[in-house]
Amino acid sequence: MMAQIAIKKGDGVVVALSGGADSVALLSMLVARRESLGLALFAVHVNHGLRAEAAGDEEFVRELCARWAVPLRVFCVDVHAEAKGGKVGVEEAGRRARYAAFQTALEDWGADKIATGHNLDDNAETVLLNLCRGAGLRGLCGIPPVSGNIIRPLLETSRAQIEAYLMKEGIPFVTDASNAGNAYARNRMRNIILPALAEHINPNAAGNMARNTDFLRVDADYLEAAAREAYAHCAQVSPTARDGHPAVVIDIPRLLALPEALRYRVAREAAARARHPHSTGNAALADIHAIHIRDVLRLAGGPSGREVRLPGLTARREYDGLCFFPGAPACAQSGFCYPLTPGTPLFVPEISKLVTFTGCTQSADYGILCAPMPGLCLRTRRPGDRISHSKKLQDYFTDNKVPRHRRDAIALVAVGSEIIWILDEKNKITKNGRHYMVPGETVEMLLSAAQIEERLNSLAEEINRDYGDKPIILVCALTGGVFFLADLARKLGNKTTLDFVRASSYGDGTSTSGKVLLDCHPKLDLRGKDVLVVEDIIDTGHTLAYLKKYVEDLNVASVRICALLDKPSRRLINVKADYVGFSIPDAFVVGYGLDYAQRYRNLPYVGVLKFTN
């Protein structure tokens, strides 16, 4: 009756134990297999404090676990307070509290999996609820049998079969009296809708619906894999950012060339990444439904400048780009003006850019710009600005399709009302019939210092969980990985040792040469040790593949790779890291240890390097 899904010999399993029939049957079946499979069993009970019988349920669970010799941990949660604080319903607050408790217990006990007692009828209820709410294909797949470290061994077993098993074995369980009421939507589905379907449509309606989810899940997995590839093809590096979070931009012609099923999923993925750059799945799409994505796709066929609001998100069409911003629409940027000296780097906090004029240029009106010049400044636009005697700056923006909401944030090199250079995608100005460009570089923020810090914390948790108390040697790939290594090492356990290796395939360019050079070797004896190679970025995979084989050849016990950044679209060798901070688009990035010709390493964030000549 219990499916042996994802349970291996020697696993540590935390059982979600409410005391009801499903969870008691699950624990009973695992206890029966404990010795033959060498399982380490634990139980977690969450007292929601919602019912008068809650104390009795807790006492029943304690006695049951004592009788079966299963370690138990009880969590008491004020669900009403959680619902009010999180601005969610009581059902959702209870669900969040339970899974948080399960995860805490799993980490404290060092277990491998969390087992819940969801059954076939629960799955059918979920499918119908999602259908009524307007869910897409993934929602109609119901409850997955395996989700990360969560397993549901009874998902193919009906509630009736579970209760029959308990009765046959003489195993007691508690009954939640609130399940008989119809205050909650799931109870109404359980007590009214499913019985009516069984009576009037098909006696096995619940079983048929639940089994159909297997087929739907296969289709959903295929479409989502295709959508990830399509997203990588359509996504662009953002030209703008808001509050340190770059916008997600989708190329509209490429989007519209996709089959309709993929368009929806690409837009959905863009919305998720804009709201939560480091999260995946349903957590990043809370409160965003099919009707929202449909409204977003309508923008792709509408005029430039239109936008729609989604929960925690704004989507706007900007010419051939469909842009997704976290939060509300941006207000007009307040102006700025900074004195400018050619050859001297200038950081502009309002636009999070480091601007450097790296050469000289001959201007028809202003002579050689590599020398100091009175009145030369970097500023935003003002009324009356002109780029030549015959052309207004406003006309230039219109002709070059610069979105209106961005015009107040574009940096301009100016003397008085005369604009010498526009720091946008063009960087080319016509004055008195002559064309010239001002050479320079800009760095546009891609990942803020706060985003990096947040991801470092979660990476350290993953690594600490995987290695436990085992000592590890961190081998840093010089020189770009030093900043990453230093911040990561401080968050790991105390049993870490540092060493270094220098490998590179870039030199002073912006693209890999394909030839890996190694000119610094580890000083420690790595034989028989667990090694974690710390890399700054994975591009084509040449360097990573070389380093991994190099370390493996030193007869280490194990080798894993941890990389701050990954460019999957650039991969030429089929190799991947065990831990990745961020997946980024195909752009040359600098900052936080990454350099261009040994410059920009000290920036506290990661940015996209752009050349203006």
Side-chain angles (χ1 to χ4, degrees):
M1 186 165 65
M2 185 181 72
Q4 298 290 339
I5 53 172
I7 296 179
K8 304 191 300 291
K9 281 192 174 183
D11 271 348
V13 182
V14 174
V15 179
L17 185 62
S18 67
D22 302 335
S23 63
V24 169
L26 174 60
L27 182 60
S28 167
M29 295 173 192
L30 288 172
V31 166
R33 292 163 174 77
R34 176 166 50 186
E35 186 173 346
S36 62
L37 291 177
L39 301 178
L41 295 181
F42 311 92
V44 169
H45 177 77
V46 179
N47 186 334
H48 299 86
L50 295 175
R51 300 179 296 110
E53 301 88 347
D57 293 350
E58 180 181 326
E59 183 60 28
F60 169 82
V61 166
R62 290 186 183 277
E63 293 176 358
L64 185 70
C65 289
R67 186 162 64 251
W68 288 347
V70 175
L72 171 69
R73 185 168 177 185
V74 175
F75 291 80
C76 295
V77 181
D78 187 343
V79 175
H80 282 301
E82 294 285 336
K84 184 177 180 181
K87 297 182 179 180
V88 296
V90 172
E91 280 186 291
E92 175 61 18
R95 187 193 68 82
R96 293 181 184 181
R98 287 193 298 276
Y99 280 94
F102 302 155
Q103 191 64 40
T104 298
L106 178 133
E107 293 173 1
D108 291 347
W109 273 317
D112 303 290
K113 296 177 176 68
I114 297 165
T116 70
H118 291 99
N119 59 47
L120 181 145
D121 296 85
D122 294 326
N123 202 8
E125 293 162 11
T126 299
V127 170
L128 284 176
L129 284 168
N130 287 343
L131 179 63
C132 294
R133 289 167 180 161
L137 179 58
R138 180 56 70 183
L140 299 183
C141 292
I143 304 172
V146 179
S147 179
N149 59 7
I150 300 170
I151 60 174
R152 302 175 175 94
L154 300 182
L155 202 59
E156 297 177 0
T157 307
S158 71
R159 189 172 291 118
Q161 288 175 307
I162 290 170
E163 293 179 356
Y165 162 80
L166 293 172
M167 185 174 296
K168 177 183 176 183
E169 299 294 327
I171 300 173
F173 59 92
V174 297
T175 301
D176 185 348
S178 66
N179 287 339
N182 294 320
Y184 300 119
R186 183 170 288 274
N187 284 11
R188 293 191 291 273
M189 186 65 71
R190 176 179 302 165
N191 300 330
I192 301 173
I193 306 301
L194 278 176
L197 288 175
E199 181 179 356
H200 300 292
I201 304 299
N202 188 321
N204 197 30
N208 290 339
M209 279 187 287
R211 279 186 285 274
N212 194 47
T213 62
D214 293 336
F215 302 108
L216 295 177
R217 197 171 293 116
V218 171
D219 291 346
D221 290 343
Y222 174 81
L223 285 170
E224 287 174 5
R228 285 192 292 271
E229 293 183 8
Y231 175 85
H233 179 66
C234 295
Q236 301 174 335
V237 177
S238 166
T240 56
R242 179 177 300 157
D243 298 329
H245 297 282
V248 174
V249 182
I250 299 297
D251 183 276
I252 290 177
R254 292 184 178 184
L255 178 69
L256 296 181
L258 296 173
E260 187 172 353
L262 294 185
R263 285 182 223 160
Y264 174 88
R265 286 170 171 79
V266 167
R268 193 171 182 270
E269 178 71 10
R273 295 199 183 203
R275 290 183 79 194
H276 300 283
H278 321 308
S279 299
T280 57
N282 294 332
L285 287 162
D287 303 323
I288 292 185
H289 305 297
I291 189 171
H292 295 122
I293 303 302
R294 184 186 64 189
D295 290 342
V296 167
L297 291 175
R298 285 176 178 168
L299 289 179
S304 179
R306 288 192 177 178
E307 64 184 29
V308 296
R309 295 289 307 279
L310 287 71
L313 192 67
T314 300
R316 178 190 298 117
R317 172 162 187 168
E318 295 180 0
Y319 297 103
D320 283 340
L322 192 57
C323 304
F324 296 79
F325 298 95
C331 300
Q333 174 117 22
S334 57
F336 57 82
C337 182
Y338 296 96
L340 186 63
T341 301
T344 301
L346 173 67
F347 180 73
V348 185
E350 288 86 350
I351 57 175
S352 298
K353 290 182 180 180
L354 183 71
V355 180
T356 308
F357 293 97
T358 59
C360 304
T361 189
Q362 180 72 37
S363 163
D365 291 345
Y366 301 109
I368 299 176
L369 287 180
C370 60
M373 182 175 183
L376 187 68
C377 64
L378 188 71
R379 63 170 174 81
T380 48
R381 65 172 178 167
R382 297 172 179 169
D385 282 345
R386 308 184 72 87
I387 64 172
S388 71
H389 298 306
S390 59
K391 195 174 188 69
K392 297 179 180 179
L393 177 64
Q394 175 69 28
D395 296 336
Y396 169 87
F397 283 151
T398 301
D399 293 345
N400 286 274
K401 298 182 177 180
V402 178
R404 290 180 181 276
H405 75 280
R406 289 182 49 215
R407 296 176 186 179
D408 286 329
I410 291 177
L412 311 167
V413 176
V415 176
S417 62
E418 293 295 317
I419 305 303
I420 300 172
W421 180 50
I422 301 178
L423 203 163
D424 66 355
E425 293 81 4
K426 307 295 181 181
N427 297 300
K428 183 175 181 180
I429 306 300
T430 301
K431 296 182 71 66
N432 298 331
R434 297 182 60 182
H435 297 277
Y436 67 92
M437 291 187 294
V438 179
E441 300 163 8
T442 64
V443 180
E444 296 185 357
M445 185 184 294
L446 181 64
L447 300 168
S448 69
Q451 289 175 279
I452 295 171
E453 174 68 16
E454 179 185 352
R455 183 62 181 127
L456 277 171
N457 289 330
S458 57
L459 273 177
E461 289 178 5
E462 294 174 29
I463 295 169
N464 284 330
R465 183 171 61 247
D466 289 349
Y467 282 94
D469 295 331
K470 292 166 57 176
I472 56 175
I473 297 179
L474 305 179
V475 176
C476 175
L478 296 171
T479 301
V482 170
F483 286 59
F484 180 38
L485 170 81
D487 289 343
L488 179 66
R490 283 193 288 267
K491 299 177 184 296
L492 296 178
N494 293 327
K495 297 182 179 179
T496 56
T497 309
L498 307 185
D499 209 333
F500 301 90
V501 63
R502 187 196 299 271
S504 174
S505 63
Y506 274 84
D508 286 342
T510 59
S511 60
T512 179
S513 65
K515 182 179 180 181
V516 179
L517 302 176
L518 189 67
D519 59 12
C520 175
H521 301 261
K523 304 301 181 184
L524 298 176
D525 183 359
L526 303 183
R527 287 176 296 179
K529 304 296 196 310
D530 292 295
V531 176
L532 180 65
V533 177
V534 179
E535 263 274 33
D536 53 356
I537 188 167
I538 310 170
D539 195 304
T540 62
H542 284 109
T543 303
L544 177 60
Y546 180 92
L547 280 178
K548 188 170 185 180
K549 185 177 187 309
Y550 171 82
V551 174
E552 287 173 342
D553 289 345
L554 297 177
N555 296 319
V556 298
S558 70
V559 57
R560 296 181 183 179
I561 306 292
C562 179
L564 173 66
L565 306 173
D566 184 18
K567 294 183 189 175
S569 62
R570 293 269 298 165
R571 196 77 79 249
L572 297 179
I573 296 179
N574 185 21
V575 63
K576 64 179 181 179
D578 301 278
Y579 310 97
V580 173
F582 304 90
S583 290
I584 63 172
D586 182 9
F588 191 83
V589 291
V590 295
Y592 196 66
L594 290 95
D595 77 299
Y596 169 62
Q598 300 303 321
R599 289 183 284 117
Y600 302 114
R601 291 192 194 277
N602 61 327
L603 293 180
Y605 57 85
V606 173
V608 177
L609 178 65
K610 292 188 176 182
F611 299 93
T612 59
N613 57 329

